[in-house]
Amino acid sequence: MSERLEAQFAFLNEADRLKSVLRATTLVDGSRPENSGEHSWHLALYALVLADQAGPGVSIDRVIRMLILHDLVEIDTGDVPIHARNGQAHASPETLAAEAKAADRIFGLLPSDLGDSLRTLWEEFEAAETPDARFAKSLDRVQPVMANLMSGGGTWATYEVTYGQLESRVGTKIARGAPALWDWVKEKARPWFG
Amino acid sequence: MSERLEAQFAFLNEADRLKSVLRATTLVDGSRPENSGEHSWHLALYALVLADQAGPGVSIDRVIRMLILHDLVEIDTGDVPIHARNGQAHASPETLAAEAKAADRIFGLLPSDLGDSLRTLWEEFEAAETPDARFAKSLDRVQPVMANLMSGGGTWATYEVTYGQLESRVGTKIARGAPALWDWVKEKARPWFG
């Protein structure tokens, strides 16, 4: 057991570094950039609170597990903002390859049974094909929209985002897992774009 | 539905403030104090990774839900370090009364069905009587021990903690929900105290 616990804590101590990965989005009060650790916590809370927005068959507990894990690869790759490089950087082949390599290293710190099961869950999130993963992705997209709205524009101003770009890069993904949520949020967001 | 979503987001935006509540414990690398938002995320990850340390009948998903919520009251009260005021401040009647008032306000932002169910879960955590709550409390106590070990002493140095005090304030609570975990961790911690 001792060897197993050594590996579990090697992973948990390494995971601490996610608290030092900074995102483009700020806190709601605009005081500083958000880090990916606290962002992951906020998303888990989103899942608890917005569970009634999930479609039939979604397991909120699996969604929460995915959201806890979803950004760990950023310890190696850093956060790639959705609106950076005119929206082209986020899912580029280079980014995806770097994230897979990071997953090898980080989940590889764990005992293999545990590392494999957590990595499989992370891959399900990334693929965004199951109802659980789609709902998790919707929450990951909607939280920065709220932070931007609350902080006076945030990354929309930084990256000179248009409403059309918000709709194509963000809205379609929110709508895929939580359509009524996007209907509500877009009415909040649209006025900011004039 | 619109009114319900307004209340859900009023709560989620207010919850963002937990990212600005600073704890006595630092990050593992010692670079800065940890905040209670990222701490809550780290604990949820602890629950996922250390699930095999939970006793029979423990639901890890309920534990994770508790850990996501457990510090929200600190938005109003701030964090009360376990070793502050010679270990007397943390569960003082004043602290508990302030936390109950904070829970009234913060969970009260939600639609009442949802606010009541999340508050009930927080109260279960606080009471530390059920197997789920005891395991959640064990994780909440073990994570700062690891941060102190990794960062060269942390709050043990700040508050001049003895090994006996660590055992009585922290060890007994870890052992209550995760006895084998405390057996392992105490062997790691003891040498620091000389």
Side-chain angles (χ1 to χ4, degrees):
Chain A
M1 188 185 78
S2 174
E3 201 181 318
R4 187 171 172 89
L5 276 171
E6 293 285 351
Q8 287 163 308
F9 278 104
F11 172 87
L12 289 169
N13 288 331
E14 180 69 10
D16 199 77
R17 294 174 59 199
L18 194 62
K19 302 168 187 171
S20 300
V21 173
L22 298 185
R23 294 166 45 79
T25 312
T26 67
L27 300 192
V28 157
D29 67 8
S31 59
R32 62 165 174 83
E34 186 185 40
N35 72 60
S36 293
E38 63 198 4
H39 163 72
S40 300
W41 162 74
H42 207 181
L43 288 185
L45 189 64
Y46 265 63
L48 263 184
V49 166
L50 296 171
D52 57 4
Q53 294 291 325
V58 170
S59 160
I60 291 299
D61 289 313
R62 289 190 83 248
V63 168
I64 290 173
R65 287 172 179 238
M66 283 180 197
L67 291 169
I68 291 165
L69 300 172
H70 84 292
D71 271 347
L72 279 171
V73 292
E74 294 183 358
I75 290 169
D76 287 357
T77 65
D79 179 57
V80 182
I82 195 106
H83 297 298
R85 273 186 33 213
N86 201 27
Q88 298 305 300
H90 189 79
S92 71
E94 296 77 22
T95 300
L96 297 179
E99 288 178 350
K101 195 174 159 199
D104 289 344
R105 185 186 75 78
I106 296 165
F107 293 114
L109 295 170
L110 285 166
S112 62
D113 61 316
L114 188 52
D116 290 351
S117 80
L118 298 190
R119 193 196 169 126
T120 300
L121 202 57
W122 172 75
E123 286 173 349
E124 181 181 335
F125 171 82
E126 284 291 299
E129 293 300 338
T130 65
D132 291 351
R134 287 185 186 188
F135 187 62
K137 284 270 181 188
S138 295
L139 299 178
D140 190 30
R141 290 289 180 276
V142 84
Q143 185 252 10
V145 172
M146 295 312 294
N148 282 350
L149 273 171
M150 298 292 291
S151 63
T155 59
W156 299 333
T158 314
Y159 295 109
E160 300 179 343
V161 176
T162 66
Y163 181 76
Q165 288 168 338
L166 178 70
E167 194 140 47
S168 63
R169 295 176 192 164
V170 173
T172 52
K173 294 192 175 143
I174 300 174
R176 216 167 151 226
L181 193 57
W182 174 240
D183 286 343
W184 184 81
V185 168
K186 75 180 175 193
E187 295 310 314
K188 300 275 174 191
R190 206 194 307 254
W192 187 87
F193 295 88
Chain B
M1 188 185 80
S2 173
E3 200 179 319
R4 186 170 173 89
L5 277 171
E6 293 284 352
Q8 287 162 307
F9 278 104
F11 172 88
L12 288 169
N13 288 331
E14 181 68 11
D16 199 78
R17 293 175 59 199
L18 195 62
K19 302 168 189 170
S20 300
V21 173
L22 297 185
R23 293 165 46 79
T25 312
T26 66
L27 300 193
V28 158
D29 67 8
S31 59
R32 62 164 174 85
E34 186 186 40
N35 73 59
S36 293
E38 63 199 3
H39 163 71
S40 300
W41 163 73
H42 207 180
L43 288 185
L45 189 65
Y46 264 62
L48 263 183
V49 166
L50 297 171
D52 58 3
Q53 295 290 325
V58 169
S59 160
I60 291 299
D61 288 314
R62 290 189 81 247
V63 168
I64 290 173
R65 287 173 178 237
M66 284 181 196
L67 291 169
I68 291 165
L69 299 172
H70 84 292
D71 271 346
L72 279 171
V73 294
E74 294 183 359
I75 290 170
D76 287 358
T77 65
D79 179 57
V80 182
I82 196 104
H83 296 298
R85 274 185 33 214
N86 201 27
Q88 299 303 301
H90 190 79
S92 72
E94 297 77 24
T95 300
L96 297 180
E99 288 178 351
K101 195 173 157 199
D104 288 344
R105 184 185 76 78
I106 295 164
F107 292 115
L109 294 170
L110 286 166
S112 62
D113 61 317
L114 188 53
D116 290 350
S117 80
L118 297 190
R119 191 193 171 127
T120 300
L121 202 59
W122 173 75
E123 286 173 348
E124 180 180 335
F125 171 82
E126 284 291 300
E129 294 300 339
T130 64
D132 292 350
R134 286 184 188 189
F135 186 64
K137 284 269 181 189
S138 295
L139 299 178
D140 190 29
R141 290 289 179 276
V142 84
Q143 185 253 8
V145 171
M146 296 311 294
N148 283 351
L149 273 171
M150 298 292 290
S151 63
T155 59
W156 299 332
T158 314
Y159 295 109
E160 299 179 343
V161 175
T162 66
Y163 181 75
Q165 288 169 337
L166 178 71
E167 193 140 47
S168 64
R169 294 175 191 164
V170 174
T172 54
K173 297 197 174 140
I174 299 174
R176 217 169 151 223
L181 193 56
W182 174 240
D183 286 343
W184 184 83
V185 169
K186 74 180 175 195
E187 296 309 316
K188 299 275 173 190
R190 207 194 306 255
W192 188 88
F193 294 89

